Amino acid sequence: VFMTQRDTLKAVHEPFGDAFYYGSERLSSRYEDDVSGREDSGFTQSTYRTILDRFEREASEGKRLVIKDMAYYLFPPDAAPASIAPSVGRVKRGVGTTEAMNNGTTNGTTRAPYPYNSDAEPNNPTVIPRDTLGNFHFTFLIRHPRSSIPSYYRCCVPPLDKVTGFYDFMPSEAGYEELRRLFDYLRSIGQVGPGMAHRDSNAGSAYDGPKSLDGVEPRNEVPSTNGVHSSQGVDSLDGVDPFNGAGHPNGVHDSNSADSSNGVTQGVEVCVIDADDLLDNPAGIVEAFCKSTGLDFTPDMLDWSTEADQQQAEEAFRKWKKKVKSVKDENSEWAEKFGDEGARIIRQAVDANIEDYEYLKQFAIKV
């Protein structure tokens, strides 16, 4: 959607995956024993710092960045304890001075760099410092596991594995738990919420679902700032869409400029979008999202009729390019296409992630 607004917005697709999979600060084991695979990616020099520096360069061009990415890429896999990525960490060197940690060689080796030889931040479950996270305006895109897991599994088996470069299915990469943990962490520090993006009159005002992972009970207030809100329509397993509004002349405050009223920190509104809601009402959801994030909605955001728009989308999503099928077709083909064992693996992964999905679904806006 936002790729059609190239005069004012710059869309960036899953940049943190480069550091997560391939660079000297990589967290994933997927390519650990595949040196040539990492080198062929072209991203072996990527660190979390180089990606953040890229954001700064592109934001300096005067456009607001729209960054679609996976929360999973900011977490050590398998719920391992997090410490700050060396390239973005800071260490004190005398009174009033700080300097960056090392350049990403981490613990003195170029192999299996995690765990890092760096400190953790209290309660921060990610490898990105809290003050850096504060430069982003987070919204959250979710999709039911029964739709996302089979789609992702298909990317890890022939023939699409040769396109994606993923030759085995890793259930941990579903990312729902990490998205939930990031969501709860940002709420716990006041960067997101307590105000809620718009919910219709039938959505209710009391939260009766499970407690959050960090023990903070979700708050379900009516929105307190700028009206009706929603999220962007990029198809993913479960996206986190940071918006770097720092210094942008459109008047949108980024999430590190949270207001305080009566001693309560007021972050940006909680903005969670379910992909099914987006498919059911694309115009309404996109318009609501724009209101929540301070963007001007125009109907032509939904118009991809020009050749330039089509080319822009194709280039941005080339590394995940695949034919999209309906949910009904995907579900009916589990056993037929992937065999009994594939269907079993998919079902197990779907069931393992439903609770986290339903937890986040409690917060999804309605228009």
Side-chain angles (χ1 to χ4, degrees):
V1 169
F2 300 109
M3 291 178 188
T4 65
Q5 310 300 304
R6 292 190 293 275
D7 290 341
T8 57
L9 301 176
K10 172 71 173 181
V12 184
H13 181 65
E14 298 194 8
F16 285 110
D18 299 344
F20 179 82
Y21 286 114
Y22 307 113
S24 59
E25 294 177 329
R26 60 190 178 277
L27 296 168
S28 174
S29 62
R30 179 175 282 282
Y31 293 96
E32 195 53 55
D33 296 321
D34 184 5
V35 176
S36 63
R38 295 201 304 270
E39 292 176 346
D40 291 345
S41 74
F43 300 120
T44 56
Q45 301 304 310
S46 293
T47 66
Y48 287 95
R49 167 53 58 196
T50 66
I51 293 167
L52 292 170
D53 288 345
R54 173 190 173 186
F55 297 161
E56 291 186 8
R57 289 194 304 271
E58 295 191 351
S60 69
E61 298 174 0
K63 296 181 181 181
R64 191 177 183 186
L65 299 188
V66 181
I67 306 163
K68 182 269 175 186
D69 220 325
M70 303 287 289
Y72 177 76
Y73 296 156
L74 307 182
F75 285 73
D78 303 318
S83 61
I84 301 303
S87 66
V88 295
R90 310 292 296 183
V91 293
K92 293 183 177 179
R93 297 296 187 194
V95 178
T97 63
T98 62
E99 65 180 45
M101 293 181 183
N102 64 53
N103 62 3
T105 56
T106 64
N107 54 7
T109 178
T110 58
R111 179 175 174 81
Y114 199 83
Y116 303 139
N117 184 22
S118 61
D119 293 331
E121 285 188 344
N123 302 316
N124 184 350
T126 78
V127 300
I128 304 298
R130 172 176 172 172
D131 61 351
T132 301
L133 293 173
N135 291 325
F136 297 86
H137 180 149
F138 286 92
T139 64
F140 302 85
L141 176 63
I142 59 175
R143 189 183 182 198
H144 199 289
R146 66 171 174 251
S147 300
S148 65
I149 299 295
S151 179
Y152 184 54
Y153 185 90
R154 189 176 74 249
C155 293
C156 301
V157 297
L160 288 181
D161 55 354
K162 294 186 182 300
V163 178
T164 64
F166 283 12
Y167 294 98
D168 58 304
F169 175 72
M170 299 174 66
S172 63
E173 290 183 332
Y176 287 89
E177 178 184 352
E178 289 79 11
L179 185 63
R180 176 176 174 173
R181 290 170 63 197
L182 177 65
F183 178 80
D184 283 339
Y185 173 66
L186 295 174
R187 288 175 50 250
S188 74
I189 63 175
Q191 184 169 333
V192 172
M196 296 286 292
H198 176 72
R199 298 175 70 88
D200 67 19
S201 59
N202 296 319
S205 59
Y207 176 77
D208 296 321
K211 298 285 186 178
S212 63
L213 294 181
D214 60 8
V216 178
E217 183 164 348
R219 300 180 66 180
N220 198 22
E221 285 91 343
V222 175
S224 59
T225 54
N226 55 355
V228 185
H229 322 89
S230 188
S231 185
Q232 63 117 326
V234 179
D235 182 22
S236 67
L237 278 176
D238 56 344
V240 53
D241 305 308
F243 283 72
N244 189 347
H248 196 276
N250 63 7
V252 178
H253 68 276
D254 46 73
S255 48
N256 64 353
S257 57
D259 301 321
S260 179
S261 177
N262 298 323
V264 178
T265 300
Q266 182 76 22
V268 300
E269 292 178 333
V270 173
C271 187
V272 178
I273 297 302
D274 189 291
D276 288 337
D277 298 334
L278 181 65
L279 292 173
D280 289 340
N281 183 10
I285 293 293
V286 172
E287 181 176 10
F289 172 84
C290 288
K291 290 181 180 179
S292 180
T293 56
L295 297 171
D296 294 328
F297 173 78
T298 58
D300 62 1
M301 285 180 168
L302 303 175
D303 183 4
W304 288 81
S305 59
T306 70
E307 183 177 349
D309 289 338
Q310 294 289 350
Q311 182 177 357
Q312 173 81 2
E314 183 174 340
E315 291 177 355
F317 293 98
R318 181 172 293 153
K319 66 182 178 180
W320 291 109
K321 186 176 180 181
K322 60 184 185 293
K323 184 178 180 181
V324 178
K325 297 183 179 181
S326 70
V327 172
K328 181 178 179 181
D329 287 343
E330 289 287 349
N331 289 338
S332 67
E333 291 177 2
W334 284 11
E336 179 181 350
K337 187 170 184 178
F338 304 119
D340 292 342
E341 178 64 10
R344 183 192 67 79
I345 293 172
I346 292 171
R347 171 54 60 196
Q348 187 176 45
V350 168
D351 291 347
N353 288 286
I354 285 178
E355 180 180 345
D356 291 326
Y357 163 79
E358 290 182 343
Y359 171 78
L360 293 166
K361 176 68 173 177
Q362 302 276 352
F363 299 88
I365 70 167
K366 303 294 181 183
V367 296

